[in-house]
Amino acid sequence: MTLWNGSYPFYPGANASFPFDTTRAVIVTVFLSMLVTFIIILPGIRGRGRLFWFLRLVLGLFMGAVVLTVQFTRDWETGWVQANTSYKSFSPVQVNADIGLHIGLAGVNVTLRGNPVNQINETINYNEHFPWNFGADYDRSYSEGLEKGLPSPILYVAEKFSTQSACAVHRQYRIAGHYASLTLWLAFCTWLISILLFSMSILLYGGHMLLLTAALILFSLLFFFTARDTPKCPIQFGPVSLRIDYGESFWLTLATGLLCLLLGLGIIILNSVQPEKLKLIFSLDKSSKEEVWDKSCLPAEPSCSAQDVLMVPMGELCQVTATQL
């Protein structure tokens, strides 16, 4: 038996808890529930309008879900590296681990996963979040990590994004993430307005709102690019370095913005060139129904008309004698 049971006294916990962010799961569940609900009533729609209605439903829910979800994701930029590195400060013991860096709009996540997970009589599986959104104190979170005794690789990566770091990237990422988040919230609002306009059959203004949604989404990417374009400090682990690149959320946001742009332009062009086809896509073509209704209102064999009454021969009319009183 060794002193402090083989652990260092300045490490109060043997391991950090692995957080599970339920925000994305809740958003996806809500939108999937809406999709399933509308699919249930889909058989009640007759004709070819069913296909167009289903496509509009899927595209609309997809755009709304993406714009809302990427606000809370932490993979706008990601990077992984496998390295042999020291596990604890003031210790020569090294471990083989995968070190991951995940940057979002509201902060940074640092992941440490051992290869294998169980090494030196410990389970090496960490995922720590350090927020930098407005209202959060990044340096305080970093200090709390020092007090908790987080592994050295996590503290080393997190220190690169602190305000006291010589890398000087904290302010750029913080401001860029704030404005990107703000424009995405505005894009979500314009998406809701476009859905409302389409439901009210105001197609042209709905197309304009889709274009505004696309512009806001692309502006959010531009804001984030300003931070990504700043010079980065090397994150070195021995002979290998941790390099980051755009993650899934960035490319998904870009694809959604381009989709909104194409749909908005398509609606505006169709409205000016071929409005009848646009009405057909939105199930507003009622000419056939009106024609059937007009035919059903007419009698099969008209019995009389004003023309028939006027064409009665004069000889067949009854002679009426007026008597003066």
Side-chain angles (χ1 to χ4, degrees), residues 34-61 280-283:
M34 295 173 60
L35 178 62
V36 172
T37 302
F38 285 116
I39 288 178
I40 292 176
I41 66 175
L42 185 62
I45 302 176
R46 298 180 179 180
R48 55 185 176 181
R50 179 187 303 174
L51 176 61
F52 292 132
W53 187 85
F54 180 74
L55 290 177
R56 297 198 309 269
L57 172 67
V58 172
L59 290 176
L61 291 179
L280 179 63
I281 294 175
F282 283 87
S283 304

Side-chain angles (χ1 to χ4, degrees), residues 71 105 176-186 220:
Q71 292 270 7
L105 300 181
H178 173 73
Y179 284 105
S181 177
L182 179 61
T183 52
L184 284 175
W185 279 118
L186 292 176
S220 69

Side-chain angles (χ1 to χ4, degrees), residues 71 73-77 101-110 129-142 157-163 168-181 224 227-228 230 232 244:
Q71 292 270 7
T73 55
R74 301 172 181 177
D75 55 352
W76 281 70
E77 284 185 312
L101 176 60
H102 315 278
I103 300 176
L105 300 181
V108 59
N109 270 57
V110 185
H129 179 64
F130 301 91
W132 57 44
N133 57 309
F134 287 106
D137 191 344
Y138 185 94
D139 291 338
R140 182 177 179 180
S141 300
Y142 177 72
V157 176
E159 190 272 335
K160 296 290 184 179
F161 295 89
S162 65
T163 58
V169 296
H170 175 85
R171 184 173 180 271
Q172 287 84 350
Y173 270 106
R174 185 169 180 259
I175 295 177
H178 173 73
Y179 284 105
S181 177
F224 189 79
R228 178 68 174 85
T230 56
K232 300 294 189 301
I244 57 176

